[in-house]
Structures are given as structure tokens and as C-alpha cells.
Amino acid sequence: MSAAPPPSCAAHCACCRIAPSMLASDLSSLYSEASSILAAGADELHLDVMDGHFVPNITWGSPVLASLRKRLGGEAYFDCHMMVAKPSQWVEDVGKAGGSRYCFHVEALAGDPLDFPALCALIRGAGMEVGVAIKPGTPASAVLDFVSLVDMVLVMTVEPGFGGQKFMPHCLPKVLELRTKFPGLDIEVDGGLSPSTVDAAAAAGANIIVAGSACFKPGANRPEVVATLRRSVEALGNGREGGELTEMPRKRCPVPHVQMGAVAAMFAVGLARGMMK
């Protein structure tokens, strides 16, 4: 029996945004990495905040976000993915640190003193947009009644808390369900996204693409990766084609090694002649 075809949405007008995951960057040079990927064409910086309770890992908190905001200035968009046990606890701190979007997990509400509407109101009061995330095992129905309160829904395509996991295509029907019901909604996918997997997510209706290793691995052509991800959403999600698609960056033509060797040889000969005079 042949495998079922991947889910495919009708063309939508939700604008494509590329949000590289800073957790995959060189953390010893966070500002330089952020500046580099923004210069490569990224629209947002995806910043994973983990508290060691909702997920077993710990990353960074508001002091790091504030330092990065100070260095980058006010224009950079901070997509703060809050993998924390009590989302309401950190809203004020992240807002003051310069967060642009505060994306909490719907699964964490069970342990939070605020309900969904109250948490959304708190986030907006702190000057941030509202996002809600669902794990691979959580159905889209968990957030359907609250979509009017949020700006974005994040569908995880790996289990939250660890980088470098493989993309889970079985999560994509949730993306298609959300896109079909809410054509203009911002739908983000996070986990295992790369030029080799993005087409499936884009076809299902995702318009905000989080990619980590694909953007930051050694030797990656960052402008090319960002452009490839964007073109996938434009073509398979927005229905664009040909000249309507974002142009791929021009590849630099390296000087052939033979030519460089010849130049070096000529320089050596000239230097030797000069020493003989």
C-alpha cells in the first residue's frame, strides 16, 4: 500500500516569515550570530526559553534577552517560545526584556493560576503579541476555541526541549486543519525544519518557519537557506510562481585554485628577482 500524500492547503495570504532558532547558533557569540542571520534575510529570532520544569533542559531567561535587545536595537523581532511550567510568571520580565511575541504552551495552563483569556490579556498588557504552542501529541482542537485571542499558533513538529530532532510529518494534519479553518492565521512550525523538509510544512499551510541546525551548521550558506525556506512557503502556501518568488542570492564565484596557485608563483618569482638585485 502506498503512503498517503502529504496534506496540502489552498493558497493563502499569510505572509511568510523565517525565524531561525538561536539555540542552534554559536552561543558564545550570540549577538554576532543574531546579527549575521538577520543580515541573511531572517525576519525573526526564535528564542527558546526553558525552565527545567516544563521541559528537562534549561536555556536562558530575560537577562539574556535584555542584553541581546540592547545590542540589536528595537527593530529585531524576538519570537519568545516559552517552554515554562507557569507561563504567567514570566510575562512581565520578558516584556521588559524586549520580547516581541510571547508564545506559551497550552499544556502548561493546567499548572498556571491564569486561564487562557486572562493570560492572553496579561501578555498584551506587557506590550507583546500572543502565541500559543501545542506539542506533537496535543490535538489542534485544544486551541480552536481560543484562536481569536492569539496572533499565532505554533505546531511543534518535534518534542519540545531538545534541538536536533527529526521532523515529525504526522503533525502536519494539525497545520492543515488550522489553515483550513483560519486562512489568515499565522501558523508556525518548529522542529526538524530544513530545505529538505520545509515543503511538506509549507504545503500544509505553515507560514512561519523555525529552523535551527539548517541555518547555523558549519558551512551553511545562510542567505541561501533563508531564501530556500521562504520560496517554499511562497510557492506551496501563497501560490506564487516564477518571478513572484523571492530571488535566490547570487552565488559568489570562487577564484580557481589553479589561478590562485599561478598568482602565488608569479609573486614568488617577483620577490626572488627583487632579492637578487
Side-chain angles (χ1 to χ4, degrees):
M1 182 180 295
S2 60
S8 182
C9 69
H12 59 82
C13 61
C15 182
C16 175
R17 297 180 67 81
I18 307 302
S21 176
M22 296 307 299
L23 193 60
S25 70
D26 179 357
L27 300 184
S28 68
S29 304
L30 195 58
Y31 165 69
S32 297
E33 290 282 74
S35 298
S36 170
I37 202 65
L38 289 171
D43 304 289
E44 306 180 1
L45 300 178
H46 186 81
L47 296 157
D48 290 310
V49 178
M50 306 180 192
D51 66 352
H53 297 285
F54 183 74
V55 292
N57 278 346
I58 296 175
T59 53
W60 45 56
S62 54
V64 173
L65 301 183
S67 297
L68 194 57
R69 172 62 73 196
K70 183 177 180 181
R71 293 293 305 277
L72 289 173
E75 292 188 5
Y77 191 97
F78 286 8
D79 174 27
C80 301
H81 180 193
M82 306 300 297
M83 287 172 269
V84 296
K86 294 183 178 180
S88 64
Q89 180 178 354
W90 308 108
V91 171
E92 183 178 358
D93 286 349
V94 171
K96 288 181 179 179
S100 306
R101 181 193 298 124
Y102 191 100
C103 181
F104 63 92
H105 270 266
V106 69
E107 301 89 356
L109 286 177
D112 198 277
L114 298 186
D115 61 12
F116 202 119
L119 179 55
C120 292
L122 182 67
I123 294 169
R124 293 203 187 280
M128 295 180 287
E129 292 187 338
V130 181
V132 61
I134 54 177
K135 292 181 178 181
T138 302
S141 59
V143 299
L144 292 181
D145 291 341
F146 303 104
V147 167
S148 63
L149 301 177
V150 305
D151 300 290
M152 181 271 287
V153 175
L154 165 56
V155 176
M156 294 296 297
T157 47
V158 297
E159 291 295 338
F162 300 93
Q165 299 178 63
K166 290 185 177 180
F167 176 68
M168 297 179 176
H170 67 267
C171 299
L172 295 181
K174 293 186 286 185
V175 175
L176 179 61
E177 180 180 355
L178 288 164
R179 177 59 67 209
T180 301
K181 287 181 168 65
F182 308 100
L185 177 66
D186 278 335
I187 303 174
E188 184 174 80
V189 285
D190 176 11
L193 274 300
S194 70
S196 64
T197 58
V198 67
D199 283 358
N207 68 296
I208 303 180
I209 306 297
V210 177
S213 301
C215 292
F216 292 109
K217 65 183 178 182
N221 184 324
R222 296 179 180 184
E224 186 174 295
V225 171
V226 170
T228 299
L229 299 175
R230 190 183 308 282
R231 284 168 64 91
S232 178
V233 174
E234 291 173 344
L236 300 174
N238 301 140
R240 299 181 186 178
E241 55 186 17
E244 298 174 321
L245 298 174
T246 294
E247 289 187 15
M248 290 295 291
R250 294 181 179 179
K251 293 184 177 181
R252 295 180 178 179
C253 296
V255 178
H257 292 294
V258 174
Q259 181 179 344
M260 289 299 295
V263 171
M266 291 173 63
F267 177 78
V269 170
L271 182 61
R273 287 177 177 175
M275 295 177 63
M276 293 172 63
K277 289 182 179 179

